[in-house]
Amino acid sequence: HPPLTLRGGEGELLTAGMNIEILKPLNITLIDGGSEKPFTTTAETVGDFLNEQKIGLAETDKVTVVAPFMGPDESGDYFLTDRMRIVIDRIVDLEVTEVNDIAYEIKLQYDPESYYGREEVLLLGKLGKKEQKFLITYKNGAEVKRKLLAQKILENPVTEIRKFGAKIEIEEVTGGRASWYAYKKCMCAAHPFYELGRYA
C-alpha cells in the first residue's frame, strides 16, 4: 500500500482532543493536450490537483472528468477518486491569412474546318490569386474548424481558350464487331490499319 499522509503535520505530538485526518493517496491519469501521464496525489478536487501540479488553463481550454467520479461540489469542481482520468483539451483560436489559387475556366471554340477531336490551345489559362483571412480552431495542435472572415482578389484568373475540331467526314461505311480498351485515359478501338486517334 502507498504511504498515508497525516493532515496536520508529521511528527506533531498527540494531544487530547486532537483530530487526525488520514489522506489516502489516489492514483489518477492526466491526459493533457493528448499526452498521457500517471500521477499519485492527495489533492481533494480536480482544481486542487491542477494547482498542485501548477497546470495552467486558458479560457478556451476544456477539462473533462472521466469515470469513476463523484458529482461536482458547490463550486462546480469535482472531487478526486481513485483511477480517475482527467482530460485537458488545449483549444486555441488563431487568425490566419492565406494566399490561395483561383481556378481558371476553359472555353471551347468549335472550329468547323478542323477535324472532330482535334484540340489546340489558343490562349493558355492562368490561375488567379486571392487573399483569405480565416479564424482557425486548433484542438491539441490539430485543426478542427475554420471560418472565413474576409477575402480579397489579388489577381483575376485568365480563361483558357481552346479550339476544338467539329468537322466530320465519312470516309468509309463498314459493319462488324468491335472491341475497345482503355488506353492512356481514352476509350480506344483496336484497328488493323487506322492510326491511333482516329474517330469512328
PDB file of all heavy atoms in Angstrom, residues 1-7 10 21-25 42:
ATOM      1  N   HIS A   1       0.845  -1.194   0.000  1.00  0.00           N
ATOM      2  CA  HIS A   1       0.000   0.000   0.000  1.00  0.00           C
ATOM      3  C   HIS A   1       0.879   1.242   0.000  1.00  0.00           C
ATOM      4  O   HIS A   1       1.935   1.278   0.619  1.00  0.00           O
ATOM      5  CB  HIS A   1      -0.912   0.008   1.232  1.00  0.00           C
ATOM      6  CG  HIS A   1      -1.865  -1.149   1.246  1.00  0.00           C
ATOM      7  ND1 HIS A   1      -2.973  -1.189   0.432  1.00  0.00           N
ATOM      8  CD2 HIS A   1      -1.869  -2.303   1.954  1.00  0.00           C
ATOM      9  CE1 HIS A   1      -3.622  -2.323   0.652  1.00  0.00           C
ATOM     10  NE2 HIS A   1      -2.972  -3.018   1.564  1.00  0.00           N
ATOM     11  N   PRO A   2       0.429   2.314  -0.669  1.00  0.00           N
ATOM     12  CA  PRO A   2       1.204   3.564  -0.626  1.00  0.00           C
ATOM     13  C   PRO A   2       1.144   4.169   0.763  1.00  0.00           C
ATOM     14  O   PRO A   2       0.197   3.925   1.521  1.00  0.00           O
ATOM     15  CB  PRO A   2       0.483   4.443  -1.656  1.00  0.00           C
ATOM     16  CG  PRO A   2      -0.903   3.896  -1.725  1.00  0.00           C
ATOM     17  CD  PRO A   2      -0.771   2.411  -1.495  1.00  0.00           C
ATOM     18  N   PRO A   3       2.163   4.963   1.131  1.00  0.00           N
ATOM     19  CA  PRO A   3       2.162   5.573   2.471  1.00  0.00           C
ATOM     20  C   PRO A   3       1.012   6.548   2.618  1.00  0.00           C
ATOM     21  O   PRO A   3       0.609   7.218   1.669  1.00  0.00           O
ATOM     22  CB  PRO A   3       3.519   6.285   2.534  1.00  0.00           C
ATOM     23  CG  PRO A   3       3.888   6.520   1.098  1.00  0.00           C
ATOM     24  CD  PRO A   3       3.320   5.365   0.336  1.00  0.00           C
ATOM     25  N   LEU A   4       0.468   6.616   3.840  1.00  0.00           N
ATOM     26  CA  LEU A   4      -0.630   7.532   4.134  1.00  0.00           C
ATOM     27  C   LEU A   4      -0.066   8.869   4.573  1.00  0.00           C
ATOM     28  O   LEU A   4       1.023   8.967   5.130  1.00  0.00           O
ATOM     29  CB  LEU A   4      -1.529   6.947   5.224  1.00  0.00           C
ATOM     30  CG  LEU A   4      -2.171   5.593   4.890  1.00  0.00           C
ATOM     31  CD1 LEU A   4      -3.004   5.115   6.068  1.00  0.00           C
ATOM     32  CD2 LEU A   4      -3.019   5.676   3.647  1.00  0.00           C
ATOM     33  N   THR A   5      -0.804   9.922   4.314  1.00  0.00           N
ATOM     34  CA  THR A   5      -0.402  11.262   4.717  1.00  0.00           C
ATOM     35  C   THR A   5      -1.292  11.745   5.840  1.00  0.00           C
ATOM     36  O   THR A   5      -2.523  11.626   5.774  1.00  0.00           O
ATOM     37  CB  THR A   5      -0.523  12.233   3.521  1.00  0.00           C
ATOM     38  OG1 THR A   5       0.311  11.780   2.465  1.00  0.00           O
ATOM     39  CG2 THR A   5      -0.096  13.643   3.929  1.00  0.00           C
ATOM     40  N   LEU A   6      -0.674  12.261   6.908  1.00  0.00           N
ATOM     41  CA  LEU A   6      -1.428  12.791   8.040  1.00  0.00           C
ATOM     42  C   LEU A   6      -1.570  14.286   7.860  1.00  0.00           C
ATOM     43  O   LEU A   6      -0.591  15.010   7.732  1.00  0.00           O
ATOM     44  CB  LEU A   6      -0.706  12.477   9.368  1.00  0.00           C
ATOM     45  CG  LEU A   6      -0.440  10.993   9.654  1.00  0.00           C
ATOM     46  CD1 LEU A   6       0.317  10.860  10.972  1.00  0.00           C
ATOM     47  CD2 LEU A   6      -1.748  10.227   9.725  1.00  0.00           C
ATOM     48  N   ARG A   7      -2.800  14.749   7.836  1.00  0.00           N
ATOM     49  CA  ARG A   7      -3.005  16.189   7.741  1.00  0.00           C
ATOM     50  C   ARG A   7      -2.801  16.797   9.126  1.00  0.00           C
ATOM     51  O   ARG A   7      -3.355  16.324  10.115  1.00  0.00           O
ATOM     52  CB  ARG A   7      -4.422  16.489   7.230  1.00  0.00           C
ATOM     53  CG  ARG A   7      -4.729  17.982   7.181  1.00  0.00           C
ATOM     54  CD  ARG A   7      -5.982  18.261   6.413  1.00  0.00           C
ATOM     55  NE  ARG A   7      -5.759  18.046   4.965  1.00  0.00           N
ATOM     56  CZ  ARG A   7      -6.710  18.155   4.053  1.00  0.00           C
ATOM     57  NH1 ARG A   7      -7.930  18.418   4.424  1.00  0.00           N
ATOM     58  NH2 ARG A   7      -6.438  17.966   2.794  1.00  0.00           N
ATOM     59  N   GLU A  10       3.388  15.879   9.975  1.00  0.00           N
ATOM     60  CA  GLU A  10       4.009  14.666  10.513  1.00  0.00           C
ATOM     61  C   GLU A  10       4.978  15.041  11.636  1.00  0.00           C
ATOM     62  O   GLU A  10       5.609  16.091  11.619  1.00  0.00           O
ATOM     63  CB  GLU A  10       4.755  13.933   9.396  1.00  0.00           C
ATOM     64  CG  GLU A  10       3.824  13.387   8.311  1.00  0.00           C
ATOM     65  CD  GLU A  10       4.564  12.588   7.273  1.00  0.00           C
ATOM     66  OE1 GLU A  10       5.725  12.240   7.528  1.00  0.00           O
ATOM     67  OE2 GLU A  10       3.973  12.299   6.214  1.00  0.00           O
ATOM     68  N   GLU A  21      -6.713  13.473  10.523  1.00  0.00           N
ATOM     69  CA  GLU A  21      -7.327  13.125   9.234  1.00  0.00           C
ATOM     70  C   GLU A  21      -6.289  12.402   8.382  1.00  0.00           C
ATOM     71  O   GLU A  21      -5.194  12.925   8.165  1.00  0.00           O
ATOM     72  CB  GLU A  21      -7.813  14.375   8.507  1.00  0.00           C
ATOM     73  CG  GLU A  21      -8.557  14.049   7.210  1.00  0.00           C
ATOM     74  CD  GLU A  21      -9.066  15.305   6.521  1.00  0.00           C
ATOM     75  OE1 GLU A  21      -8.832  16.411   7.060  1.00  0.00           O
ATOM     76  OE2 GLU A  21      -9.688  15.173   5.457  1.00  0.00           O
ATOM     77  N   ILE A  22      -6.604  11.201   7.956  1.00  0.00           N
ATOM     78  CA  ILE A  22      -5.685  10.396   7.166  1.00  0.00           C
ATOM     79  C   ILE A  22      -6.079  10.505   5.687  1.00  0.00           C
ATOM     80  O   ILE A  22      -7.226  10.230   5.327  1.00  0.00           O
ATOM     81  CB  ILE A  22      -5.710   8.923   7.614  1.00  0.00           C
ATOM     82  CG1 ILE A  22      -5.276   8.804   9.080  1.00  0.00           C
ATOM     83  CG2 ILE A  22      -4.803   8.088   6.706  1.00  0.00           C
ATOM     84  CD1 ILE A  22      -5.359   7.417   9.630  1.00  0.00           C
ATOM     85  N   LEU A  23      -5.154  10.965   4.867  1.00  0.00           N
ATOM     86  CA  LEU A  23      -5.408  11.131   3.443  1.00  0.00           C
ATOM     87  C   LEU A  23      -4.754   9.979   2.677  1.00  0.00           C
ATOM     88  O   LEU A  23      -3.545   9.806   2.737  1.00  0.00           O
ATOM     89  CB  LEU A  23      -4.830  12.460   2.955  1.00  0.00           C
ATOM     90  CG  LEU A  23      -5.354  13.719   3.669  1.00  0.00           C
ATOM     91  CD1 LEU A  23      -4.667  14.955   3.122  1.00  0.00           C
ATOM     92  CD2 LEU A  23      -6.860  13.835   3.535  1.00  0.00           C
ATOM     93  N   LYS A  24      -5.575   9.233   1.997  1.00  0.00           N
ATOM     94  CA  LYS A  24      -5.075   8.108   1.210  1.00  0.00           C
ATOM     95  C   LYS A  24      -4.697   8.605  -0.188  1.00  0.00           C
ATOM     96  O   LYS A  24      -5.520   9.214  -0.873  1.00  0.00           O
ATOM     97  CB  LYS A  24      -6.134   7.018   1.109  1.00  0.00           C
ATOM     98  CG  LYS A  24      -5.668   5.802   0.323  1.00  0.00           C
ATOM     99  CD  LYS A  24      -6.777   4.767   0.231  1.00  0.00           C
ATOM    100  CE  LYS A  24      -6.324   3.566  -0.592  1.00  0.00           C
ATOM    101  NZ  LYS A  24      -7.412   2.557  -0.739  1.00  0.00           N
ATOM    102  N   PRO A  25      -3.457   8.374  -0.631  1.00  0.00           N
ATOM    103  CA  PRO A  25      -3.062   8.810  -1.975  1.00  0.00           C
ATOM    104  C   PRO A  25      -3.932   8.163  -3.056  1.00  0.00           C
ATOM    105  O   PRO A  25      -4.323   6.993  -2.953  1.00  0.00           O
ATOM    106  CB  PRO A  25      -1.608   8.352  -2.096  1.00  0.00           C
ATOM    107  CG  PRO A  25      -1.141   8.188  -0.686  1.00  0.00           C
ATOM    108  CD  PRO A  25      -2.347   7.727   0.083  1.00  0.00           C
ATOM    109  N   THR A  42      -2.686  13.498  -3.165  1.00  0.00           N
ATOM    110  CA  THR A  42      -3.611  13.538  -2.024  1.00  0.00           C
ATOM    111  C   THR A  42      -4.541  14.740  -2.134  1.00  0.00           C
ATOM    112  O   THR A  42      -5.230  15.085  -1.188  1.00  0.00           O
ATOM    113  CB  THR A  42      -2.827  13.613  -0.701  1.00  0.00           C
ATOM    114  OG1 THR A  42      -1.961  14.740  -0.727  1.00  0.00           O
ATOM    115  CG2 THR A  42      -2.035  12.335  -0.467  1.00  0.00           C
TER     116      THR A  42
END
